[in-house]
Amino acid sequence: MEGLWIITVALTVAVVLLENVWRRRLDKDSKVIKWPAGPRPLPIIGNLHQLYKGGDLLHVTLANIAQVHGRIMTVWLGSSRPTIVVSDHELAWEVLVSKAPDYAARMLPYMSKFVTANWRTLATSDSGSYWQALRKGLQSCALNPPNISAQIHLQEKDMAHMIQSLQEEASMSGVVKPLLQLRRTTVRLVGRLCFGPEFKDEVFVEGMDSAVEDTIRLTGHIRLVDVFAFTRHIPGLKLPFQQTYEVKHRIEELIRPYISSHQSSDSPCPNCYLHFLLSQDLPEQVVIFNIFELFLLGVDSTSTATAWALAFLIRDPAIQQKLYEEINESGTENTVSVQAVSKMQYLHAVVKESMRMKPIAPLAVPHKAVKDSTLMGTKVMEGTSVLVNLYAVLYDPNVWHEPHRFMPERFLHPLKDGSGNDGSNAAAHLLRAMERSFLPFGAGRRICAGIELAKIHIALTLANLVKNFEWHCEFEGQLPDLTEDLTFVLRMKTPLAACIKPRHL
């Protein structure tokens, strides 16, 4: 008992001392830096007790806290330097567009360095000449419009292959889980952009799909490592690091043969991303993980976005029927073409509304101030992390009428959404606010490089799925579960399962 008493006293004294040090630091910082208002932090843990409670995910909790502390606020993740969170479209626009050069650096999780060549990929490197060269190279070769157009017929063949695979899956039990087919269809698309239009390696497709999934799964450990750096050295917590190294090795083994093949080829494909990266004389690790980044950012985001859209269509059969009628009126065969999709206004409205309600990256990628700057007049010090809560922006009731309602029509007739708009100056202001608030791909200089391809791919996939099948609940009366799970992207906690009925027998 005496030993327990001594330990209790020692811990109490330690906590008191730490709290005093913490309070002095806060007082000192507040005299030097006037941080935006925010919830009062505790020693050591900061605001973690407020951010991870009640069962809500972080983007929802931050949006709720912002209703109390304002559209710009300060939160502490542990005892590290605080993060400024913005929850308003005007502030988001200022960070991403108006003052993009001021906030062009990245604030990234520690463990992400292992699968990004120490943050030397396009998405993880700070803006500068190196980043500009990577971005320009990607857009001028792999994402060059003529190059994408030349591969459209292959993308449409992927759709036919996916439809056939789903039909076979449904013939066994009547139920399909489409996410696997959606992911692998995207792996094939990205594979051709990275390695050339002749890419047809199904072993690679399966292996890369698995590597992407494992990388996303391991992001769950990132928060702990970044908030409490000392956990990197605790033996019992080293397993995720070992698993990350294993995944890293698998990625290298998948991509390295393509590097060797390209270098030894007499006629290497000049329009693929790999060709550009090798032309820059970059280290092999940098080449490998810039290639992997395209799969990591493209595969799960587009497939998950399509799955969310399907879930909404199952929950609202009237919208699904209206979408089918638009697709059917296009006069396409069983496989819908890219050209036909480009003319389908309601289809694109459905995709936009789904992405508004379930933004794939609700907290975007954290930015970091590269110099002293301001946000709406509030001073922001160099090195400060700035987080844009896209979820809060996309659910702002002052911009989006009935934001929790799935309503694609809002993108067709934004001034006739039931909110009483009458075409006045106020309505025009609201329309501008909607345009600046719809930021699922980000905005400004660091907007997603593959935004146009991603939008077309999601719309093309959804059009083909609705054209060929009626989508229904897995169990009658039990709607798809829209509960969210936030890892690398915003996924369904329960992956979508549905009954499908072929429309053309």
Side-chain angles (χ1 to χ4, degrees), residues 10 36-37 45 63 75 103 138 142 147 188 200 214 220-221 238 242 255 280 301 370 407 424 427 439 448 463 465:
I45 66 171
V75 298
Y103 300 99
L138 175 61
N147 185 51
R188 295 182 187 101
K200 296 178 182 178
D214 287 341
H221 186 67
K238 287 187 177 181
Q242 296 171 358
I255 296 175
Q280 302 301 298
S301 59
V370 297
M407 190 166 54
S424 63
L439 306 170
C448 173
L465 292 174

Side-chain angles (χ1 to χ4, degrees), residues 56-319:
D56 286 332
L57 295 180
L58 182 58
H59 56 284
V60 178
T61 300
L62 286 172
N64 292 336
I65 294 175
Q67 293 179 10
V68 177
H69 295 282
R71 58 183 185 164
I72 179 170
M73 63 182 182
T74 304
V75 298
W76 295 73
L77 303 175
S79 57
S80 59
R81 194 177 181 88
T83 295
I84 291 178
V85 181
V86 301
S87 307
D88 169 88
H89 73 276
E90 292 180 348
L91 283 162
W93 197 259
E94 189 169 353
V95 172
L96 301 175
V97 182
S98 304
K99 294 183 178 177
D102 295 359
Y103 300 99
R106 290 301 200 198
M107 182 72 77
L108 296 163
Y110 173 78
M111 284 184 67
S112 65
K113 67 184 292 185
F114 302 117
V115 291
T116 60
N118 289 323
W119 303 304
R120 294 195 64 193
T121 63
L122 177 61
T124 61
S125 57
D126 293 346
S127 287
S129 57
Y130 173 76
W131 173 84
Q132 290 172 347
L134 286 179
R135 176 115 181 175
K136 183 178 179 179
L138 175 61
Q139 293 182 316
S140 64
C141 59
L143 297 181
N144 183 290
N147 185 51
I148 292 175
S149 296
Q151 298 189 33
I152 283 177
H153 69 289
L154 297 172
Q155 198 173 357
E156 292 169 354
K157 284 185 178 180
D158 288 340
M159 295 297 111
H161 179 269
M162 178 183 63
I163 295 303
Q164 182 179 355
S165 297
L166 289 173
Q167 286 176 333
E168 293 171 356
E169 184 180 350
S171 67
M172 291 184 281
S173 64
V175 175
V176 296
K177 295 183 178 180
L179 191 57
L180 179 63
Q181 294 297 335
L182 294 173
R183 287 202 313 262
R184 294 191 176 179
T185 296
T186 311
V187 173
R188 295 182 187 101
L189 170 63
V190 177
R192 291 192 294 268
L193 296 176
C194 288
F195 307 127
E198 300 303 317
F199 172 80
K200 296 178 182 178
D201 187 345
E202 288 301 307
V203 174
F204 179 95
V205 170
E206 183 177 345
M208 181 55 70
D209 177 52
S210 175
V212 168
E213 283 296 289
D214 287 341
T215 301
I216 292 172
R217 175 179 55 81
L218 289 167
T219 61
H221 186 67
I222 285 176
R223 300 185 188 95
L224 180 63
V225 171
D226 284 303
V227 172
F228 303 111
F230 67 86
T231 61
R232 304 172 195 171
H233 310 292
I234 297 176
L237 296 179
K238 287 187 177 181
L239 180 59
F241 287 91
Q242 296 171 358
Q243 293 176 332
T244 301
Y245 280 116
E246 291 172 2
V247 173
K248 177 177 180 290
H249 177 70
R250 282 162 49 200
I251 294 166
E252 293 166 346
E253 292 300 300
L254 282 167
I255 296 175
R256 190 173 285 125
Y258 281 89
I259 295 177
S260 299
S261 176
H262 192 91
Q263 291 174 326
S264 61
S265 174
D266 293 330
S267 55
C269 175
N271 294 324
C272 67
Y273 193 34
L274 176 60
H275 184 81
F276 162 74
L277 292 171
L278 291 175
S279 72
Q280 302 301 298
D281 294 324
L282 298 169
E284 183 185 70
Q285 286 284 297
V286 176
V287 173
I288 287 174
F289 288 101
N290 269 285
I291 290 289
F292 175 67
E293 181 175 81
L294 257 62
F295 290 98
L296 181 64
L297 297 182
V299 171
D300 218 71
S301 59
T302 55
S303 58
T304 300
T306 307
W308 280 121
L310 284 173
F312 283 119
L313 293 177
I314 293 170
R315 293 172 69 93
D316 198 325
I319 292 178

Side-chain angles (χ1 to χ4, degrees), residues 417-487:
D417 61 359
S419 59
N421 294 318
D422 58 3
S424 63
N425 289 336
H429 176 77
L430 178 61
L431 178 60
R432 181 172 178 269
M434 288 177 64
E435 292 172 346
R436 289 197 168 192
S437 296
F438 187 69
L439 306 170
F441 293 97
R445 64 170 58 188
R446 301 212 69 148
I447 193 171
C448 173
I451 177 173
E452 296 304 323
L453 179 62
K455 288 192 296 186
I456 286 294
H457 184 64
I458 294 170
L460 176 67
T461 305
L462 190 62
N464 276 282
L465 292 174
V466 173
K467 170 72 173 181
N468 285 273
F469 305 112
E470 291 180 26
W471 292 79
H472 302 282
C473 304
E474 179 183 9
F475 303 107
E476 187 174 352
Q478 185 175 326
L479 296 175
D481 185 359
L482 299 184
T483 303
E484 302 169 347
D485 181 26
L486 180 60
T487 53

